[in-house]
Amino acid sequence: MRKPREDTLAVRISRTLAERIIAGDIEPGSRLRQDHIAEEFGASHVPVREAFRRLEAQGLAVSEPRRGVRVAAFNLAEVKEVAEMRAALEVLALRHAAPNLTAAILDEAEEATKAGDNSRDVRSWEEANRRFHQLILSPCGMPRLLASIDDLHAASARFLFAAWRSDWESRTDHDHRAILSALRRRQVDLACTTLASHVQWIGRRPVTAAGGKVREAFAIEG
């Protein structure tokens, strides 16, 4: 029977590795070395293996026969899948949240949009963007739905950081303002249509990987 302490350690290891993978600190295709990770966390191989299983369940790692565990790569099809899922689930959440959105919540969401517009790096922009979405969706009062949306936002963040590790370009988010304007006027259908279009827009840019190789990176920028 697995000890509770090992369970707790496995969760901590998987959470730390997930944060590094999502932030792009560990690149797609990189090998996750069990010995090195066990040494870093002062752990046996048992919680490390459990942490790897958790990462696989999240789609962040893959286990390959005789090659160990590697950080999962992703392609345009996966980015599109996440974008479409976000559109469907966020629209569902917004329809249920709309009756509970107060002027104070919408004002706070507008401040989050302004913070995003003024961000000087991709991390602060992603935080502001995620806060905007959380503010207008959380009043739906559907915790399972919101948990699924949070998972999709984590995937979106990974795509974003992979594409924008440097040379962040600030931008004005007109979609956020259009969504807020529609919600203030109680035009829920318009707000939902704008939101669905917003989260399905996928940006593309060339990225120079290790070794000088240039690849095409795709990201959900909404």
Side-chain angles (χ1 to χ4, degrees):
M1 183 175 177
R2 190 180 293 117
K3 296 179 181 178
R5 181 182 173 279
E6 290 180 338
D7 279 343
T8 302
L9 188 54
V11 170
R12 182 162 65 87
I13 294 170
S14 66
R15 184 179 296 122
T16 301
L17 293 176
E19 289 172 354
R20 293 174 184 174
I21 292 169
I22 289 169
D25 296 331
I26 310 177
E27 294 188 354
S30 299
R31 184 178 175 188
L32 295 174
R33 299 182 181 276
Q34 190 175 121
D35 290 343
H36 293 177
I37 293 169
E39 182 179 358
E40 177 185 350
F41 288 90
S44 69
H45 286 183
V46 174
V48 176
R49 285 195 294 268
E50 176 61 29
F52 285 174
R53 283 192 286 269
R54 290 174 180 271
L55 292 174
E56 288 185 67
Q58 292 176 273
L60 295 175
V62 291
S63 179
E64 302 173 336
R66 297 182 297 280
R67 296 187 64 186
V69 178
R70 294 182 180 275
V71 175
F74 54 85
N75 55 32
L76 178 57
E78 292 175 86
V79 178
K80 287 181 176 178
E81 180 183 18
V82 170
E84 290 183 15
M85 290 177 68
R86 274 190 58 190
L89 297 187
E90 291 193 32
V91 164
L92 175 62
L94 184 58
R95 287 197 180 279
H96 284 272
N100 303 317
L101 289 172
T102 63
I105 292 173
L106 296 178
D107 288 345
E108 198 172 350
E110 186 171 358
E111 289 304 312
T113 293
K114 291 177 181 177
D117 290 349
N118 294 323
S119 296
R120 297 189 177 184
D121 58 74
V122 66
R123 289 176 186 268
S124 58
W125 181 87
E126 193 278 332
E127 290 175 3
N129 182 66
R130 192 185 297 213
R131 178 159 175 73
F132 169 85
H133 287 265
Q134 288 173 337
L135 282 165
I136 65 170
L137 301 179
S138 292
C140 74
M142 302 171 75
R144 290 185 182 181
L145 176 59
L146 292 172
S148 296
I149 292 171
D150 281 345
D151 287 343
L152 293 171
H153 271 272
S156 292
R158 187 183 179 213
F159 305 150
L160 187 73
F161 293 148
W164 289 100
R165 297 189 68 177
S166 61
D167 302 322
W168 173 246
E169 297 174 3
S170 59
R171 72 282 306 276
T172 299
D173 202 319
H174 298 291
D175 284 349
H176 280 191
R177 286 170 171 77
I179 291 166
L180 290 173
S181 177
L183 290 172
R184 291 186 194 281
R185 299 194 305 269
R186 297 299 177 183
Q187 295 176 323
V188 178
D189 287 344
L190 177 58
C192 288
T193 299
T194 307
L195 175 63
S197 175
H198 172 64
V199 301
Q200 290 186 84
W201 193 87
I202 296 173
R204 172 188 303 197
R205 72 187 303 264
V207 173
T208 303
K213 185 178 180 180
V214 178
R215 61 178 174 83
E216 285 286 298
F218 302 92
I220 302 165
E221 298 185 10

